[in-house]
């Protein structure tokens, strides 16, 4: 069993698709652990996305992630990191495989409804960030 972190971003919460997204993970055999709505501060979002600091999209990402509530949660299951990323689809919904979360629900590369850890190291760091 492996744990990874996912966040339904503010656009996903605004669209009222939280239940649909969580159901996709559960339908694929994953356990959803400790979902909770939060409002990230600018400082928290900047710390969480620190790996992107200095990139051209960083400031817009921080504004977006602080624009409303989001829902971080832990996903537990076999090979969770890779499988969750497959279920999410490409960051750019125009390139996402059919029937992935981003292909079905995201509007753009900037408003792509969901975050998922990209490695075991990131998953551990991101889970600690939100859940101690």
């Amino acid at each position: 069993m492996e744990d990874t972190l996912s966040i339904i971003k503010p656009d996903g919460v605004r669209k009222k698709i939280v239940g649909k997204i969580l159901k996709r993970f559960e339908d694929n055999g994953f356990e959803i652990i400790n979902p909770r709505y939060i409002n990230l501060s600018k400082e928290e979002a900047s710390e969480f996305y620190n790996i992107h600091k200095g990139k051209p999209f960083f400031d817009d990402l921080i504004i977006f992630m602080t624009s409303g509530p989001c829902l971080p949660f832990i996903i537990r299951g076999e090979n969770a990191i890779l499988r969750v990323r497959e279920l999410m689809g490409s960051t750019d919904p125009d390139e996402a495989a059919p029937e992935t979360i981003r292909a079905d629900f995201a509007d753009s590369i900037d408003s792509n409804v969901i975050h998922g850890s990209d490695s075991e190291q990131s998953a551990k760091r991101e889970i600690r960030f939100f859940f101690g």
Side-chain angles (χ1 to χ4, degrees):
M1 291 300 220
E2 184 174 63
D3 288 351
T4 190
L5 181 98
S6 189
I7 304 169
I8 299 176
K9 296 178 179 181
D11 57 329
V13 173
R14 275 192 292 276
K15 289 179 174 186
K16 299 182 182 340
I17 56 172
V18 169
K20 291 177 182 180
I21 292 172
L22 295 176
K23 184 175 181 343
R24 290 226 183 158
F25 291 123
E26 290 179 329
D27 287 350
N28 279 275
F30 291 107
E31 181 181 355
I32 305 297
I33 301 169
N34 208 15
R36 60 186 174 106
Y37 286 102
I38 63 167
N39 288 290
L40 288 172
S41 69
K42 182 179 177 183
E43 294 75 24
E44 289 168 329
S46 295
E47 181 182 343
F48 183 77
Y49 286 106
N50 189 42
I51 60 169
H52 297 304
K53 195 170 189 158
K55 294 180 183 174
F57 61 85
F58 180 78
D59 290 338
D60 288 338
L61 175 62
I62 301 311
I63 291 167
F64 171 65
M65 289 302 295
T66 59
S67 68
C70 60
L71 185 88
F73 55 99
I74 298 167
I75 301 176
R76 179 171 292 154
E78 292 293 327
N79 203 16
I81 296 167
L82 177 63
R83 289 181 52 222
V84 164
R85 293 193 62 79
E86 289 172 351
L87 286 169
M88 289 188 322
S90 175
T91 304
D92 184 344
D94 292 336
E95 297 175 7
E99 300 183 14
T100 59
I101 292 168
R102 288 180 174 139
D104 290 346
F105 301 118
D107 294 327
S108 70
I109 194 167
D110 297 319
S111 295
N112 62 18
V113 303
I114 195 161
H115 165 90
S117 302
D118 63 2
S119 67
E120 184 177 347
Q121 180 181 2
S122 292
K124 288 178 181 177
R125 179 186 69 80
E126 293 175 356
I127 290 169
R128 270 194 313 272
F129 182 88
F130 285 104
F131 301 104

